[in-house]
Amino acid sequence: MQKTLQAPELQAQVATVLIAAGSSPEEAASVAANLVLANLSGHDSHGVGMLPRYVDAVLEGGLKPNSSVRVVLDTGSLLTLDGQRGYGQVVGEQAMALGIDRAKAHGSCIMTLGNAHHLGRIGHFAEMAVAQGLVSLHFVNVLSRPVVAPFGGGDGRFGTNPCCIGIPLPGELPFILDYATSAVAQGKMRVAHNKGEKVPPGRLIDPEGHPSDDPRYAVIPPFGAMLAFGEHKGYGMAIACELLGGALTGGGTWHYEESSKQRVMNGMLVIVIDPKRLGTAAAFEREARLFLDWLRKSRPAPGFDHVRIAGEPEREMRAKRSRDGIPVDDNTWQEIQRAADKVKLARERLQALARGE
């Protein structure tokens, strides 16, 4: 079973819980809007279902409400930033605003962001860049629980480590490629588990390393592990994201024993480019148009109505869910309600302590 809510109602309810967990109204509104936008885009894995984990992370101390990004180094076209364990939706936007300004001023910017709590849907940050006519590339690592097995390995050793590329396109909406280097995002396993669904073959192994279609092995103990997409190719990309998003940013890589903590830390390397400053703008516009026209003339395969490019499915889903509402399965809604109860109880305990009770 599931319930369907309109985006403004869902966003208001999420913001209420975030405020109770210690966020300012402005921060709560920003984080809630980002989560609901992920749901609107069809990425429920990065939507309001993350709220219970955020609440747990705040209560454990791994997520610090009302933190802002800190500039560690600024040479103009190079930025080193520290998210100070703040909400990734907030410090990520602050970081991108700085990177966009530098790219406009210098033609490009290489930026690292370390110690950010869960950044959420990385495509959101690429959308910020392309809205300003800029290209952006994002390499991200995940410090949470090692949920993905290396190619040839039988247990989890790193995270879902997403990669994202945003490219503004002449005369049409942008190309936004945003994907986990695992076969699917971990949150999609949580969604499948909550819905009682199985997952397709080739995405998961059980605790003994055997193939499985049961998403519980990615969600509750005893844990198995997810697999990278494309065998050694996705695995190689995941390692690149760990080294660039984790080691190069200074945010850290995964090399610890199993963790029961609920915080999800991200490091992100971002490259922002102003294509107009490269001297190839006319060629880019011509060749992009010719290629896209050629691409879309492909005969649709069985089961498809036409060829799409990255970013189009999300925009189509946003239109549909903005009109029809956002579905939230019963298990996820119950988890959100329990999270609200947790922060209410925590607040009541703090108030009692303040009264000396």
Side-chain angles (χ1 to χ4, degrees):
M1 297 292 292
Q2 64 184 23
K3 64 193 318 174
T4 301
L5 299 125
Q6 292 297 318
E9 177 188 0
L10 185 57
Q11 185 172 322
Q13 295 199 39
V14 170
T16 298
V17 177
L18 291 166
I19 290 170
S23 289
S24 68
E26 295 76 17
E27 177 175 86
S30 180
V31 175
N34 185 288
L35 293 174
V36 171
L37 181 59
N39 287 108
L40 283 171
S41 304
H43 294 293
D44 296 327
S45 56
H46 290 68
V48 298
M50 289 300 301
L51 181 63
R53 186 158 189 177
Y54 291 177
V55 167
D56 285 343
V58 170
L59 295 177
E60 290 176 354
L63 168 56
K64 299 293 186 182
N66 308 311
S67 296
S68 297
V69 74
R70 181 173 66 89
V71 177
V72 178
L73 178 144
D74 181 355
T75 68
S77 61
L78 283 172
L79 284 170
T80 302
L81 307 174
D82 188 328
Q84 302 192 107
R85 291 192 288 169
Y87 276 101
Q89 291 85 351
V90 174
V91 297
E93 285 192 356
Q94 292 170 348
M96 283 304 299
L98 289 169
I100 287 168
D101 285 346
R102 297 301 190 279
K104 286 182 174 180
H106 302 283
S108 66
C109 178
I110 298 175
M111 176 182 75
T112 64
L113 173 64
N115 301 315
H117 196 265
H118 188 236
L119 289 163
R121 189 178 66 90
I122 306 304
H124 175 67
F125 305 119
E127 288 169 349
M128 290 179 64
V130 298
Q132 301 294 318
L134 305 173
V135 172
S136 69
L137 297 86
H138 308 252
F139 304 89
V140 184
N141 83 320
V142 183
L143 298 180
S144 171
R145 184 174 62 78
V147 297
V148 183
F151 182 65
D155 57 6
R157 292 286 146 171
F158 49 86
T160 52
N161 293 8
C163 177
C164 179
I165 301 170
I167 305 173
L169 296 174
E172 64 175 88
L173 294 172
F175 173 91
I176 304 288
L177 177 65
D178 180 15
Y179 63 93
T181 50
S182 51
V184 293
Q186 184 186 8
K188 294 187 186 300
M189 293 291 182
R190 184 193 73 246
V191 171
H193 175 69
N194 283 350
K195 291 182 176 180
E197 297 174 349
K198 299 297 183 182
V199 297
R203 300 186 177 184
L204 188 66
I205 55 176
D206 67 17
E208 285 71 47
H210 303 300
S212 176
D213 62 1
D214 191 339
R216 71 186 175 95
Y217 290 128
V219 180
I220 58 175
F223 293 114
M226 299 167 63
L227 299 175
F229 80 86
E231 299 182 329
H232 62 284
K233 297 177 183 178
Y235 165 55
M237 193 69 200
I239 301 310
C241 287
E242 190 74 28
L243 295 174
L244 296 174
L248 190 62
T249 66
T253 59
W254 187 270
H255 48 80
Y256 310 99
E257 292 300 319
E258 187 64 71
S259 173
S260 61
K261 298 292 184 182
Q262 293 301 298
R263 54 91 181 108
V264 182
M265 304 304 296
N266 288 144
M268 178 167 66
L269 170 69
V270 184
I271 302 170
V272 188
I273 303 167
D274 185 348
K276 294 183 176 63
R277 303 282 288 274
L278 286 172
T280 61
F284 171 69
E285 291 192 10
R286 181 182 67 252
E287 291 301 322
R289 170 56 54 205
L290 288 170
F291 175 67
L292 291 172
D293 287 346
W294 165 257
L295 192 71
R296 288 165 174 158
K297 289 176 182 176
S298 175
R299 290 189 310 275
F304 293 85
D305 56 354
H306 67 277
V307 170
R308 292 170 172 80
I309 65 169
E312 288 183 36
E314 287 82 359
R315 291 189 285 266
E316 292 172 2
M317 183 60 74
R318 284 180 199 177
K320 180 179 186 301
R321 288 188 168 184
S322 293
R323 180 186 66 247
D324 300 336
I326 297 170
V328 182
D329 67 85
D330 284 346
N331 284 335
T332 297
W333 188 250
Q334 289 170 14
E335 289 174 356
I336 291 172
Q337 294 299 314
R338 287 195 292 271
D341 291 340
K342 283 181 183 180
V343 290
K344 179 182 177 183
L345 290 171
R347 189 173 63 251
E348 289 174 348
R349 283 196 294 269
L350 287 173
Q351 290 170 345
L353 287 170
R355 294 191 298 266
E357 297 174 5

